Amino acid sequence: MFTFKKLSVFFFGLMVLMSGCGGGGDSSEVSTSQTVSLTGVVQLGRIAGATVEIYRVEKDGNLTLMWTETTTTGNSLEEIGNFNAHKEELEDETYYLYRAIGGQDWDADDDGVMDSNPVKNRGTLRLIAKGKDIKGADIIRITYVSEIVYEKTARYLKYSFNPATFEQKLNEAIEPVIGDINGDGVVDTKDVIGFNPVENKDSLKGLYAYKLKEIINAIHSGAYVLNSPDINHLLGSVDTPGYPRSVVISPDGNIAYVADGIEGLQVIDISDPLNPFIIATVGTTDSANAVFLSGDTVYIAAGYSGLQIVDVSQPENPQVIRSIDIQGYAMDVFVKGDTAYVVDTVNGIKKIDLINSQITTLYNSNLSKGVTLSADGNIVYVADGSNGLTIINQSTSQTYSIKTGSTATSVVLSPDETIAYIANGAGGLAIIDISDPDNLSILSIVKFRGIARGVYLVDNTVYVTSEGSNLKIINVSDPANPVIISSIFTPGIPQDVAVLPDKKLAFVVGYNAGLQVIDVSDLVNPQIIASLDTPGSADELVLSADGSKAYVADVGSGLQIIDISDPLNPEIISSLDTENVYSLALSPDEKKVYVASGFYFHVIDIAYIKIPRIIGSVETKTNSNSTALGVALSTDGQTAYVANYGGGLLSIDVSEPTNPQIIGSVGTSGNAFKVTLSPDGSIAYVCEKSNGLQIVDIFYPSLPRIISSVETDKSTLDAAVSISGEIIYIADGRLKIVDVSDPLNPRVVSTVDTPGGANGIALSPDESIAYVADGRSGLQVIDVSDPANPRIIATIPTHGYAQEVALSPDGSMAYIAESGFGLQIIDVVLFK
């Protein structure tokens, strides 16, 4: 029977047929013609009316449009979504890119049954493959799998494309996504081409299997998979009643044992990573600080309750076997055979005979935090707080130590026991050569914001948790040159981490967050195209007008001038070590930099850019508490405005750069932190740590006056003004959009909550996108084309703590000042 639904589909198809398709290159106009072989399929579900562009990838990576097609409509799924793939016209060794745009998805849930009504597809699906692989397939399918693989490899196509090595990059990208579809024993492009979303979804791996629904929804909405805010690495979580500090995982990967502070031991079923749940609790009379699993027994370092031993042969029914009073405070525990080694923060390392409960003090220290042992049980390695790493040879009673420059909190060893990896408090990760105890040496330090607490090693990958930061994942295949490969946002205050041996799942525990299950099977972040560490803590940056240089306020290390003309290879040109540089502004002729430097405002001559030098200064310490933290420059370059923390807003005449003079000031009710000017230079917007945004009339620079204010819930950290001057975007831990067309009566239009805490803002050239430096959550990309209805459209993780952001003149690159990590360069249009 010809139903109404089929009738509507028929007319839709007739309209597409009448409008024609094809064009470009040598393509003839084709649709459902019986004389054309329709060997391509666009399939989320099957998509009707999608435009398919077919490009040849030239040897330099440029694209040449060859053909344009439109996918078919029809009365059944088999008739929908087909197109002429031009297989027979392809060259074997040439790469081709298929790009499918828009259309209507008639099987949005991929169940193989045609939906009653289609879902509009606002997104793009792409497939990149060699001609011979495309020609070798009966049907080529452009799917979410091919899109994921394209996004993962887009940087290699855009930057320094090499046809000889691109196939390897493709295969590396494919392996974590799907299994062997065609059964040839190899996971490669042929499997991507042949992937059928209805029949082969069980072959998806890891994150892509867990987040399939979110992936399809993201594409439908027009988002890209790898930076969609809804597709993150967090799979599941379970809150715990206490403050979790330590976690171990059972060998089968089904149970997590969590030391949950004053709430004791939590036994958690993690067999379904999406839905972990507590199955049992064991109370401790004091704080459960650490857990160690040996066979069917859990050992708990339980504060002043000493060592508690629990039988977990039946995880759902754990039984306390006994407790051992250590006459101190148990912070950590490691068990080898019938001996337990307990970190006693009062008396040092206690060695306990588990047969007769005899206790001896192996090492006296009240600074120790963590402990581990060599495989033979003879050597004890102590994360010894400010003492660094302490090594105890039990057979010789010799002790060795090395300072780590901070507070060593936990330690793990490489399999060959020649390298120790130390979670080093505020000092990040310390990597130490322990092959010769008489000559211990630090091989490298990986610094990042926060207090490193937990460390875990699998193969050549180290996982570090850090209070105030994210889960850091670090490649240590070369211990002297470790590389951060990913930084994954975790809620709460992370304390410890455990990782499955196959490196697919990590389990993080933290205050106010319980247990988090995180997929770490695929850590690609292709949009970060380069990073450059700076000596201090990068807090702010401005770019030259041509986008070739970045000027960075590097707290603790002064001004850093960086060549970014080649975004893939940024290099520090020069630096000037002042007492501190918190904020900076560039003169219109780009021959001077004006810096807010604590108690001083400096004018720095950069005419000879390799040798910057201070040519003028003025003290800004108007009272004992004031500190210059922010600076903005008038459009004519004659007046600088300084946000003087504790001292309001200062107007400084810089018409004579060698002799800057304070000519005006106005006290503000909070603590001035940053300052931004209106396009016409008549208004200063002063961001305050404790009292919102102050709007200051600076028409007369010598007589600034507050005319209105905007209340914010938190500290106002940054502001960006539209070209018209009528809208201001405020970072106050969130993004707040304010109508300031009438400066006397500012009006909040909308607010967007950001996951990490908005710190800095930059607007795209057309002002449709706000890029927000969002602390631990990296870079948030927010559509503000409708200021009343802003929405986060992408999240791009960064390696550190995103403090400030600036855009290249064409809006294609975002430059992030990362507190504690330096400069990160992100291609924000890579997937377009």
Side-chain angles (χ1 to χ4, degrees), residues 663-731:
I663 57 173
S665 67
V666 61
T668 56
S669 52
N671 290 307
F673 182 72
K674 276 194 178 181
V675 58
T676 300
L677 305 186
S678 61
D680 65 4
S682 66
I683 301 290
Y685 299 95
V686 181
C687 301
E688 300 221 303
K689 278 279 191 175
S690 57
N691 200 34
L693 182 78
Q694 302 295 316
I695 301 179
V696 183
D697 183 339
I698 54 170
F699 186 81
Y700 298 105
S702 60
L703 297 170
R705 61 189 183 95
I706 296 173
I707 57 174
S708 61
S709 63
V710 179
E711 290 187 6
T712 57
D713 298 327
K714 300 178 181 179
S715 296
T716 306
L717 303 176
D718 196 15
V721 186
S722 65
I723 294 172
S724 68
E726 295 186 351
I727 296 178
I728 189 165
Y729 302 82
I730 300 171

Coordinates of all heavy atoms in Angstrom, one line a residue, residues 663-731:
I663 N 48.4 60.9 35.6 CA 47.7 62.1 35.5 C 46.3 62.1 36.1 O 45.6 63.1 36.2 CB 47.6 62.6 34.0 CG1 46.9 61.5 33.2 CG2 49.0 62.9 33.5 CD1 46.6 61.9 31.7
G664 N 45.8 60.9 36.4 CA 44.5 60.8 37.0 C 44.3 59.5 37.6 O 45.0 58.5 37.4
S665 N 43.3 59.4 38.5 CA 43.0 58.1 39.2 C 41.5 58.2 39.7 O 41.0 59.2 39.9 CB 43.9 57.8 40.3 OG 43.8 58.7 41.4
V666 N 41.0 57.0 39.9 CA 39.7 56.9 40.5 C 39.6 55.6 41.3 O 40.1 54.5 40.8 CB 38.5 56.9 39.5 CG1 38.6 55.7 38.5 CG2 37.2 56.9 40.2
G667 N 39.2 55.7 42.6 CA 39.1 54.5 43.4 C 37.9 53.7 43.0 O 36.9 54.2 42.6
T668 N 38.1 52.4 43.1 CA 37.0 51.5 42.8 C 36.7 50.7 44.1 O 37.5 50.5 44.9 CB 37.3 50.5 41.6 OG1 38.5 49.8 42.0 CG2 37.5 51.2 40.3
S669 N 35.4 50.2 44.1 CA 35.0 49.6 45.4 C 35.5 48.2 45.6 O 35.5 47.7 46.7 CB 33.5 49.6 45.5 OG 32.9 49.0 44.3
G670 N 36.0 47.6 44.6 CA 36.6 46.2 44.7 C 38.1 46.3 44.5 O 38.8 47.2 44.9
N671 N 38.6 45.2 43.9 CA 40.1 45.2 43.7 C 40.3 45.1 42.1 O 40.0 44.0 41.5 CB 40.7 43.9 44.4 CG 40.7 44.1 45.9 OD1 41.2 45.1 46.4 ND2 40.2 43.2 46.6
A672 N 40.7 46.2 41.5 CA 40.9 46.2 40.1 C 41.9 45.2 39.6 O 43.0 45.1 40.1 CB 41.3 47.6 39.7
F673 N 41.5 44.5 38.6 CA 42.3 43.3 38.1 C 42.7 43.5 36.7 O 43.9 43.3 36.3 CB 41.5 42.1 38.3 CG 42.2 40.8 37.9 CD1 43.2 40.3 38.7 CD2 41.9 40.1 36.8 CE1 43.9 39.2 38.3 CE2 42.5 38.9 36.4 CZ 43.6 38.5 37.2
K674 N 41.8 43.9 35.8 CA 42.1 44.1 34.4 C 41.3 45.3 33.9 O 40.3 45.7 34.5 CB 41.7 42.9 33.6 CG 42.8 41.8 33.5 CD 42.6 40.8 32.4 CE 43.7 39.8 32.4 NZ 43.5 38.8 31.3
V675 N 41.7 45.8 32.8 CA 41.0 46.9 32.2 C 40.9 46.8 30.7 O 41.8 46.4 30.0 CB 41.6 48.3 32.6 CG1 43.1 48.3 32.1 CG2 40.8 49.5 32.0
T676 N 39.7 47.1 30.1 CA 39.5 47.0 28.7 C 38.8 48.4 28.3 O 38.0 48.9 29.0 CB 38.5 45.9 28.3 OG1 39.1 44.7 28.7 CG2 38.3 45.8 26.8
L677 N 39.1 48.9 27.1 CA 38.6 50.1 26.7 C 37.5 49.9 25.6 O 37.6 49.0 24.8 CB 39.7 51.0 26.1 CG 40.9 51.3 27.0 CD1 41.8 52.3 26.4 CD2 40.4 51.8 28.4
S678 N 36.6 50.9 25.5 CA 35.6 50.9 24.4 C 36.3 51.3 23.1 O 37.4 51.9 23.2 CB 34.5 51.9 24.7 OG 35.0 53.2 24.8
P679 N 35.7 50.9 22.0 CA 36.4 51.2 20.7 C 36.7 52.7 20.5 O 37.7 53.0 19.9 CB 35.4 50.7 19.7 CG 34.6 49.6 20.3 CD 34.5 50.1 21.8
D680 N 35.8 53.6 21.0 CA 36.1 55.0 20.8 C 37.0 55.6 21.9 O 37.3 56.8 21.9 CB 34.8 55.8 20.7 CG 34.0 55.8 22.0 OD1 34.5 55.2 23.0 OD2 32.9 56.3 22.0
G681 N 37.4 54.8 22.9 CA 38.3 55.2 23.9 C 37.7 56.1 25.0 O 38.5 56.6 25.8
S682 N 36.4 56.2 25.0 CA 35.8 57.1 26.0 C 35.4 56.4 27.3 O 35.1 57.0 28.3 CB 34.6 57.7 25.4 OG 33.5 56.8 25.2
I683 N 35.4 55.0 27.3 CA 34.9 54.2 28.4 C 36.0 53.2 28.8 O 36.5 52.6 27.9 CB 33.6 53.5 28.2 CG1 32.5 54.5 27.8 CG2 33.2 52.6 29.4 CD1 32.0 55.4 28.9
A684 N 36.3 53.1 30.1 CA 37.1 52.0 30.6 C 36.2 51.0 31.3 O 35.4 51.4 32.2 CB 38.2 52.5 31.4
Y685 N 36.4 49.7 31.0 CA 35.7 48.7 31.8 C 36.7 48.0 32.7 O 37.7 47.4 32.2 CB 35.1 47.7 30.8 CG 34.1 48.3 29.9 CD1 34.4 48.7 28.6 CD2 32.7 48.5 30.3 CE1 33.5 49.3 27.7 CE2 31.8 49.1 29.4 CZ 32.2 49.5 28.2 OH 31.3 50.0 27.3
V686 N 36.5 48.2 34.0 CA 37.5 47.7 35.0 C 36.9 46.4 35.6 O 35.9 46.4 36.2 CB 37.7 48.7 36.1 CG1 38.8 48.2 37.1 CG2 38.2 50.0 35.4
C687 N 37.7 45.3 35.4 CA 37.3 44.0 36.0 C 37.8 44.0 37.4 O 39.0 44.3 37.7 CB 38.0 42.9 35.2 SG 37.5 42.8 33.4
E688 N 37.0 43.6 38.3 CA 37.3 43.6 39.7 C 37.2 42.2 40.3 O 36.3 41.5 40.0 CB 36.5 44.6 40.5 CG 36.6 46.0 40.0 CD 36.6 47.0 41.1 OE1 35.7 47.0 41.9 OE2 37.6 47.8 41.2
K689 N 38.1 41.9 41.2 CA 38.2 40.6 41.8 C 37.0 40.4 42.7 O 36.5 39.3 42.9 CB 39.5 40.4 42.6 CG 40.6 40.0 41.8 CD 40.6 38.5 41.5 CE 42.0 38.0 41.0 NZ 42.0 36.6 40.8
S690 N 36.5 41.5 43.3 CA 35.4 41.3 44.3 C 34.2 42.1 44.1 O 33.3 42.0 45.0 CB 36.0 41.6 45.7 OG 36.5 42.9 45.8
N691 N 34.1 42.9 43.0 CA 32.9 43.8 42.9 C 32.5 44.0 41.5 O 32.2 45.1 41.1 CB 33.2 45.1 43.6 CG 31.9 45.8 44.0 OD1 30.9 45.2 44.3 ND2 32.0 47.2 43.9
G692 N 32.5 42.9 40.7 CA 31.9 42.9 39.4 C 32.7 43.8 38.4 O 34.0 43.9 38.4
L693 N 32.0 44.4 37.5 CA 32.6 45.3 36.4 C 32.3 46.7 36.7 O 31.1 47.1 36.8 CB 32.1 44.8 35.1 CG 32.7 45.6 33.9 CD1 34.1 45.0 33.5 CD2 31.8 45.5 32.7
Q694 N 33.3 47.6 36.8 CA 33.1 49.0 37.0 C 33.2 49.7 35.6 O 34.1 49.4 34.8 CB 34.1 49.6 37.9 CG 34.1 48.9 39.3 CD 32.8 49.2 40.0 OE1 32.3 50.3 40.0 NE2 32.3 48.1 40.7
I695 N 32.2 50.6 35.3 CA 32.2 51.3 34.0 C 32.7 52.7 34.3 O 32.0 53.4 35.1 CB 30.8 51.2 33.3 CG1 30.5 49.7 33.1 CG2 30.9 52.0 32.0 CD1 29.1 49.6 32.5
V696 N 33.8 53.1 33.7 CA 34.4 54.4 34.0 C 34.5 55.3 32.8 O 35.0 54.9 31.7 CB 35.9 54.1 34.6 CG1 36.5 55.5 35.0 CG2 35.8 53.1 35.7
D697 N 34.0 56.5 33.0 CA 34.1 57.5 31.9 C 35.5 58.1 31.9 O 36.0 58.7 32.9 CB 33.1 58.6 32.2 CG 33.1 59.7 31.1 OD1 34.0 59.8 30.4 OD2 32.0 60.4 31.1
I698 N 36.2 57.9 30.8 CA 37.6 58.4 30.7 C 37.7 59.4 29.5 O 38.8 59.6 28.9 CB 38.6 57.3 30.5 CG1 38.2 56.4 29.3 CG2 38.7 56.4 31.8 CD1 39.3 55.3 28.9
F699 N 36.6 60.0 29.2 CA 36.6 61.0 28.1 C 37.7 62.1 28.4 O 38.5 62.5 27.5 CB 35.3 61.7 28.0 CG 35.2 62.7 26.8 CD1 35.0 62.2 25.5 CD2 35.4 64.0 27.0 CE1 34.9 63.1 24.5 CE2 35.3 64.9 25.9 CZ 35.1 64.4 24.6
Y700 N 37.8 62.5 29.7 CA 38.9 63.3 30.2 C 39.8 62.4 31.0 O 39.5 62.0 32.1 CB 38.4 64.4 31.0 CG 37.5 65.4 30.3 CD1 36.2 65.4 30.5 CD2 38.0 66.3 29.4 CE1 35.3 66.3 29.9 CE2 37.2 67.2 28.7 CZ 35.8 67.1 28.9 OH 35.0 68.0 28.3
P701 N 41.0 61.9 30.4 CA 41.8 61.0 31.1 C 42.3 61.4 32.5 O 42.5 60.6 33.3 CB 43.0 60.8 30.1 CG 42.5 61.2 28.8 CD 41.5 62.3 29.0
S702 N 42.4 62.7 32.7 CA 42.9 63.2 34.0 C 41.7 63.2 35.0 O 42.0 63.4 36.2 CB 43.4 64.6 33.8 OG 42.5 65.5 33.3
L703 N 40.5 63.0 34.5 CA 39.4 63.0 35.5 C 38.5 61.8 35.3 O 37.3 61.9 34.9 CB 38.5 64.3 35.3 CG 39.3 65.6 35.5 CD1 38.4 66.8 35.0 CD2 39.5 65.7 37.0
P704 N 39.0 60.6 35.4 CA 38.1 59.4 35.3 C 37.1 59.4 36.4 O 37.3 59.8 37.5 CB 39.1 58.3 35.4 CG 40.2 58.8 36.3 CD 40.4 60.3 35.9
R705 N 35.9 58.9 36.0 CA 34.8 58.8 37.0 C 33.9 57.6 36.7 O 33.6 57.3 35.6 CB 33.9 60.1 37.0 CG 33.2 60.4 35.7 CD 32.6 61.8 35.7 NE 31.9 62.0 34.4 CZ 30.5 61.7 34.3 NH1 29.8 61.3 35.3 NH2 30.0 62.0 33.1
I706 N 33.5 56.9 37.8 CA 32.7 55.7 37.7 C 31.3 56.2 37.4 O 30.7 57.1 38.0 CB 32.7 54.9 38.9 CG1 34.1 54.3 39.2 CG2 31.7 53.8 38.9 CD1 34.3 53.6 40.5
I707 N 30.7 55.6 36.3 CA 29.3 56.0 35.9 C 28.3 54.9 36.1 O 27.1 55.2 36.2 CB 29.2 56.5 34.5 CG1 29.8 55.5 33.5 CG2 30.0 57.8 34.3 CD1 29.6 55.9 32.0
S708 N 28.7 53.7 36.2 CA 27.8 52.5 36.5 C 28.6 51.3 36.7 O 29.9 51.3 36.7 CB 26.8 52.3 35.3 OG 27.6 52.0 34.1
S709 N 27.9 50.2 37.0 CA 28.6 48.9 37.3 C 27.7 47.8 36.9 O 26.5 47.9 36.7 CB 29.0 48.9 38.7 OG 27.9 48.8 39.6
V710 N 28.3 46.6 36.7 CA 27.6 45.4 36.5 C 28.0 44.4 37.6 O 29.2 44.1 37.8 CB 28.0 44.8 35.1 CG1 27.3 43.4 34.9 CG2 27.7 45.7 34.0
E711 N 27.0 43.9 38.3 CA 27.2 42.9 39.3 C 27.5 41.6 38.7 O 26.9 41.2 37.8 CB 26.0 42.8 40.3 CG 25.8 44.1 41.1 CD 24.7 43.8 42.2 OE1 24.2 42.7 42.3 OE2 24.3 44.8 42.8
T712 N 28.5 40.9 39.3 CA 28.8 39.5 38.9 C 28.8 38.6 40.1 O 29.0 39.1 41.2 CB 30.1 39.4 38.1 OG1 31.1 39.9 39.0 CG2 30.1 40.2 36.9
D713 N 28.6 37.3 39.9 CA 28.5 36.4 41.0 C 29.9 36.1 41.6 O 30.1 35.8 42.7 CB 27.8 35.1 40.6 CG 26.4 35.3 40.2 OD1 25.8 36.3 40.8 OD2 25.9 34.6 39.3
K714 N 30.9 36.2 40.7 CA 32.3 35.8 41.1 C 33.2 37.0 40.6 O 32.8 38.0 40.1 CB 32.7 34.5 40.4 CG 31.8 33.3 40.8 CD 32.2 32.1 40.1 CE 31.4 30.9 40.4 NZ 31.8 29.7 39.7
S715 N 34.5 36.7 40.8 CA 35.5 37.7 40.4 C 35.4 37.9 38.9 O 35.3 36.9 38.1 CB 36.9 37.3 40.8 OG 37.0 37.2 42.2
T716 N 35.5 39.2 38.4 CA 35.5 39.5 37.0 C 37.0 39.5 36.6 O 37.8 40.2 37.0 CB 34.9 40.8 36.7 OG1 33.6 40.9 37.3 CG2 34.8 41.1 35.3
L717 N 37.3 38.6 35.6 CA 38.7 38.3 35.3 C 39.1 38.9 33.9 O 40.3 39.1 33.7 CB 38.9 36.8 35.3 CG 38.6 36.1 36.6 CD1 38.9 34.6 36.5 CD2 39.5 36.7 37.7
D718 N 38.1 39.1 33.0 CA 38.5 39.6 31.7 C 37.2 40.2 31.1 O 36.1 39.8 31.5 CB 39.1 38.5 30.8 CG 39.8 39.1 29.6 OD1 40.1 40.3 29.6 OD2 40.1 38.3 28.7
A719 N 37.4 41.0 30.0 CA 36.3 41.5 29.3 C 36.7 41.8 27.9 O 37.9 42.2 27.6 CB 35.7 42.8 29.9
A720 N 35.8 41.6 26.9 CA 36.0 41.9 25.5 C 34.8 42.7 25.0 O 33.7 42.4 25.3 CB 36.2 40.6 24.7
V721 N 35.1 43.8 24.2 CA 34.1 44.7 23.8 C 33.9 44.5 22.3 O 34.8 44.3 21.5 CB 34.4 46.1 24.1 CG1 33.3 47.1 23.7 CG2 34.8 46.3 25.5
S722 N 32.6 44.5 21.8 CA 32.3 44.4 20.4 C 32.8 45.6 19.7 O 33.0 46.7 20.3 CB 30.8 44.2 20.2 OG 30.1 45.4 20.7
I723 N 32.9 45.5 18.4 CA 33.4 46.6 17.5 C 32.5 47.8 17.7 O 32.9 49.0 17.7 CB 33.5 46.1 16.1 CG1 34.6 45.1 16.0 CG2 33.9 47.3 15.2 CD1 34.7 44.4 14.6
S724 N 31.2 47.5 17.8 CA 30.2 48.6 17.9 C 30.3 49.3 19.2 O 29.8 50.4 19.4 CB 28.8 48.1 17.7 OG 28.4 47.2 18.8
G725 N 30.9 48.6 20.2 CA 30.9 49.1 21.6 C 29.7 49.0 22.4 O 29.6 49.4 23.5
E726 N 28.7 48.3 21.8 CA 27.4 48.1 22.4 C 27.2 46.9 23.3 O 26.3 46.8 24.1 CB 26.3 48.2 21.4 CG 26.2 49.5 20.7 CD 25.0 49.6 19.7 OE1 24.4 48.6 19.5 OE2 24.7 50.8 19.2
I727 N 28.1 45.9 23.1 CA 28.1 44.7 23.8 C 29.4 44.4 24.5 O 30.5 44.6 23.8 CB 27.6 43.5 23.0 CG1 26.2 43.7 22.4 CG2 27.7 42.2 23.8 CD1 25.7 42.6 21.5
I728 N 29.4 44.0 25.7 CA 30.7 43.6 26.4 C 30.5 42.1 26.9 O 29.4 41.8 27.3 CB 31.0 44.5 27.5 CG1 32.5 44.2 28.0 CG2 30.0 44.5 28.6 CD1 33.1 45.3 28.9
Y729 N 31.5 41.4 26.7 CA 31.6 40.0 27.1 C 32.5 39.8 28.3 O 33.6 40.2 28.2 CB 32.1 39.1 25.9 CG 31.2 39.2 24.7 CD1 31.5 40.3 23.8 CD2 30.2 38.3 24.4 CE1 30.7 40.4 22.6 CE2 29.4 38.4 23.2 CZ 29.7 39.5 22.4 OH 28.9 39.6 21.2
I730 N 31.9 39.3 29.4 CA 32.6 39.3 30.7 C 33.0 37.8 31.1 O 32.1 37.0 31.0 CB 31.8 40.0 31.8 CG1 31.5 41.4 31.4 CG2 32.5 39.9 33.1 CD1 30.5 42.1 32.4
A731 N 34.2 37.6 31.5 CA 34.6 36.3 32.1 C 34.6 36.5 33.6 O 35.4 37.2 34.1 CB 36.0 35.9 31.5

